[in-house]
Amino acid sequence: MVAKMFKNVLTRRSLLGSGAAVAGSAAAAAILPRKAFAQDKVVKIGFLAPLTGPVAAWGKPGLDGCLIWGEWINAAGGINIGGEAHAVEFVAYDNEYDPAKARTGATKLIREDGVKFIMMLGGDTWPGAQPVADRTGMLFSTLLPSDLSPDTTTLIAPCEVHPIYNVTGVEWLADNMPELKTAVMCAQDDALGLPSVATYLAAFEAAGIEMQDDPLLFDPATTDFAPVVTRLISGNPDIVCLDTCYADYVHPICEQLFQQGYGGQVISCTADFYQQIVAKTSEEFMEGFVFQFPDFDDPALNDESINFQMPNEFYAAYASRYGADQWGAVSWEYASIMDLWKAGAEKAGSAEPDAVLAAMKEGGTGLHAFGEADWWGKDLFGIDNALVGNWPIVVIEGGKATIKEFRSIPEWYAKHGELLKKHMSAYGQMWDQRT
């Protein structure tokens, strides 16, 4: 986690208004001790994700967030490994969401750059990197636990449990808007879209919401979404579900829903850069839009159960540097993973992958960003390498993302796990089907 010394500089968050937060954070960093690290006291972390192309929204903002995290950690004295302070340095490689480039990047990061840990988005790119992980024993992380299997012993999902957390949004809708009875769904036909489709189908079935039609799977190369939307809303559904569509799809789909006069409920896994969608549609159209990723200036994140240090100040620093309209689903996620990795390395007294992994998983629990969580997943993924606990439900109100509540993923799974496995199996997404 961010060093206690830095946290204590700004413990009285109430003194920082939204306009003063960035200045306060910058001032705090300025007065922290700036340690000169020896050249061999630097630990390098690999960032292997799409930084360009249609999936860049789930890579580049995460790297941006990590750079802020790294600056704060280094300003506060670095990472204490075996009693010695180490600076952290991120080495990025753009895999362009291509498996071959992911394999090349993983090899380079390990052989040439000497990284001790590699963070990935995962999905279609993990099969490219997995042979490198198997050969080297390098510790990798993914945002997609659907990458996990009993063979992925050095792959962990310590932050995002995509797509399982999507059940919480549907459950919340059913509890708070019981008048919504029918739904339709679209998704790109790929390793991100398909497990999410299965998850949403299970969630809708568990909530007693009827699917009007089979999910509409479109080619990832699609650019014209007018026909997609026309077909989706032809039956006047109560709910339109955008599954885990990329930002490059969510934006034009929402524009088409607006232009074609849809006035029902919209739910999506993400709503990256949602301010841009509001500007292209209207605040009224986006009112009540449900998704799963909060802005970190949300007061709900100041609760004592939250383990992401200084979320409001982190958001303010990010918005100041990159723009609030560039905040997205992953802006905080890779930094959150680094909190866990740092704690593991300091506990182990080592940055070596096997030692950090053992320290991170010791006791079977971990401090997830949204509360204490369990290392879980054997029933669904064949291995307990996903950190699973609570997840927020976010609703756009007055043009601003607002956390409505946190819900437990394990509690939902305890009631509906067999239903989820049924739909995962139907789409070939169980671990034994994928391997």
Side-chain angles (χ1 to χ4, degrees), residues 261-333:
Y262 180 69
Q265 177 67 48
V266 182
I267 185 171
S268 178
C269 177
T270 64
D272 299 286
F273 326 128
Y274 67 84
Q275 298 94 331
Q276 299 174 25
I277 307 177
V278 172
K280 293 176 182 177
T281 57
S282 71
E283 189 173 297
E284 181 183 13
F285 171 78
M286 290 296 289
E287 185 72 13
F289 188 109
V290 174
F291 64 115
Q292 307 282 174
F293 290 88
D295 292 343
F296 267 39
D297 59 347
D298 197 302
L301 294 177
N302 295 323
D303 188 85
E304 291 183 357
S305 65
I306 301 300
N307 295 308
F308 192 99
Q309 297 298 301
M310 296 172 55
N312 296 172
E313 290 79 11
F314 182 83
Y315 179 87
Y318 188 101
S320 176
R321 184 175 301 186
Y322 306 113
D325 65 347
Q326 294 303 307
W327 177 270
V330 305
S331 295
W332 60 274
E333 289 193 304

Side-chain angles (χ1 to χ4, degrees), residues 143-207:
L143 297 185
L144 309 174
S146 49
D147 293 335
L148 298 175
S149 76
D151 297 329
T152 60
T153 56
T154 64
L155 178 68
I156 55 174
C159 177
E160 182 177 345
V161 285
H162 179 272
I164 314 305
Y165 53 70
N166 286 327
V167 302
T168 63
V170 175
E171 184 182 55
W172 182 88
L173 266 184
D175 288 346
N176 289 273
M177 303 178 190
E179 69 277 10
L180 303 178
K181 302 295 186 183
T182 60
V184 292
M185 177 168 29
C186 67
Q188 73 278 357
D189 189 355
D190 69 1
L192 276 161
L194 293 178
S196 189
V197 165
T199 300
Y200 272 114
L201 287 174
F204 283 128
E205 184 174 343

Side-chain angles (χ1 to χ4, degrees), residues 340-360:
L340 289 160
W341 185 90
K342 176 178 179 289
E346 291 184 334
K347 182 177 183 179
S350 170
E352 294 306 311
D354 55 347
V356 174
L357 177 60
M360 289 175 74

Side-chain angles (χ1 to χ4, degrees), residues 59-108:
K60 179 62 164 57
L63 177 60
D64 293 339
C66 282
L67 295 179
I68 295 173
W69 185 93
E71 289 171 10
W72 286 9
I73 290 297
N74 291 339
I79 301 175
N80 185 338
I81 301 176
E84 295 183 309
H86 289 66
V88 62
E89 177 185 331
F90 291 98
V91 184
Y93 189 97
D94 182 6
N95 65 29
E96 301 177 44
Y97 203 59
D98 178 89
K101 292 180 179 178
R103 182 168 185 165
T104 300
T107 302
K108 175 189 177 296

